[in-house]
Amino acid sequence: MISSVTAFAPATVANLGPGFDVIGLAIDGIGDTVTVSRSTTPGVHLTAIHGDGGLLPLDPTLNTAAIAASETIKAAGAALGITLKLHKGLALCSGLGSSAASAVAAAYATNLLLGSPLRKHDLIGPCMEAEAVVAGRHADNVAPALLGGLVLIRSTNPLDIVRLPIPEGLTVVVVRPEMALPTKKARAALPTHIELSTMVAATAQIAGLVSACYSGDLSLLSRCLADPVVTPARIGLIPGGQNALDAALDAGALGASISGAGPSLFALCRSVRSAKATAQAMTSAFLDAGLPATSHISPANCPGVRRLRQAPKAS
Ligand code: HSE
């Protein structure tokens, strides 16, 4: 019987331009790690948070890792006492799916500890329950963090998830300015009504984006990354954000927008070379606005959650 499992779940770029709450992409190299161990004490206990999560609650009813672990045990119909140790590689409120990564790593590790009674797909529900507590009920971070790659959430109730193909060589830049933007605040900035003409434009963008993924037509993809609804409503919450998006296009990116609820931005590029130039241009634009920013480059086609053989060192 396994006594302890460690899992890593990657950062994700939700929305990907026009796909508000329905499209998300896994990226590689950054994410959260959770170690789940059997305990003789019943219930789910979060005993430590290391890394970039200093302000997170240890209260298991408020932390997405603990909630997702508990929902996974419930979904499996099991009874198991566990302790969780969470290592945050992702900053809170950064727009990179930090709460989702914690939930996904915890759910996946818990399921392994139980002997894998559930499929990865079955973990989307438990992880979404966890997201709902802190960031609203949406699966565009948890689904790609679990499944990897580019994912369309056709419906959350009932769950209907579609994996989308990713054009060859497509590269993602994420740029994170040094500020926090809570998802709840970014969602509160959204319009409650939109004009029919705006809805038509938004629908056309999503349809074009999905079509471009299947055909590999990067010129079409480039035309479909602009979002007429959510990005204009939120970009003012990010100092220097609009200039950074403009700088990405000037540097040759296919398109750029807000990553999830922000404040991180993302750009899609044809190559790593283009991604490097884009990252430089975007971080400079933030710096001009007085906001230091860091960038990360990843292939667009990345795996989701995975088991790690070793837990990270506490820091
Ligand atoms: N789709 C969500 C939003 C993602 O944009 O609010 C938040 O992580």
Side-chain angles (χ1 to χ4, degrees):
M1 193 168 60
I2 319 172
S3 61
S4 179
V5 176
T6 298
F8 168 87
T12 42
V13 172
N15 303 339
L16 208 70
F20 177 66
D21 277 3
V22 299
I23 291 184
L25 177 78
I27 58 175
D28 212 8
I30 48 175
D32 285 0
T33 306
V34 175
T35 299
V36 181
S37 308
R38 285 180 191 277
S39 165
T40 47
T41 316
V44 173
H45 308 276
L46 182 57
T47 55
I49 303 175
H50 302 295
D52 224 335
L55 296 174
L56 275 175
L58 282 172
D59 180 343
T61 63
L62 298 175
N63 186 288
T64 58
I67 301 166
S70 172
E71 290 291 328
T72 299
I73 294 169
K74 208 193 295 172
L80 179 70
I82 53 171
T83 59
L84 269 70
K85 287 194 170 100
L86 169 59
H87 190 278
K88 294 292 301 173
L90 298 173
L92 307 179
C93 303
S94 61
L96 294 171
S98 168
S99 55
S102 297
V104 165
Y108 186 73
T110 302
N111 188 43
L112 282 175
L113 203 63
L114 288 168
S116 302
L118 303 172
R119 298 166 307 154
K120 263 190 191 174
H121 215 87
D122 303 325
L123 299 177
I124 295 174
C127 292
M128 224 165 43
E129 291 308 319
E131 275 282 71
V133 173
V134 299
R137 198 180 162 77
H138 54 87
D140 52 344
N141 293 111
V142 297
L146 270 163
L147 306 175
L150 180 61
V151 178
L152 166 70
I153 293 91
R154 214 276 312 155
S155 157
T156 54
N157 190 16
L159 204 53
D160 188 356
I161 305 286
V162 183
R163 296 284 304 276
L164 298 174
I166 296 175
E168 189 76 29
L170 196 66
T171 305
V172 193
V173 177
V174 288
V175 176
R176 181 170 78 84
E178 271 182 28
M179 64 173 278
L181 178 53
T183 300
K184 281 184 180 160
K185 181 174 174 190
R187 287 180 92 84
L190 299 177
T192 50
H193 293 86
I194 58 169
E195 294 289 327
L196 191 62
S197 57
T198 310
M199 192 209 83
V200 170
T203 309
Q205 288 298 79
I206 298 172
L209 190 140
V210 171
S211 173
C213 288
Y214 278 94
S215 65
D217 181 343
L218 293 187
S219 160
L220 176 62
L221 182 67
S222 175
R223 299 198 296 282
C224 294
L225 286 168
D227 147 43
V229 180
V230 174
T231 307
R234 285 177 167 172
I235 197 69
L237 301 172
I238 308 167
Q242 186 59 54
N243 286 348
L245 294 182
D246 294 344
L249 299 186
D250 289 347
L254 293 166
S257 192
I258 301 174
S259 175
S264 293
L265 306 181
F266 79 93
L268 292 185
C269 299
R270 289 171 192 275
S271 64
V272 173
R273 191 173 161 185
S274 166
K276 284 182 179 163
T278 300
Q280 169 75 42
M282 293 174 83
T283 47
S284 297
F286 272 124
L287 209 51
D288 288 346
L291 213 50
T294 49
S295 64
H296 179 77
I297 294 174
S298 162
N301 204 349
C302 287
V305 66
R306 69 212 80 145
R307 185 173 182 182
L308 295 185
R309 293 294 154 191
Q310 249 187 333
K313 289 201 170 61
S315 58

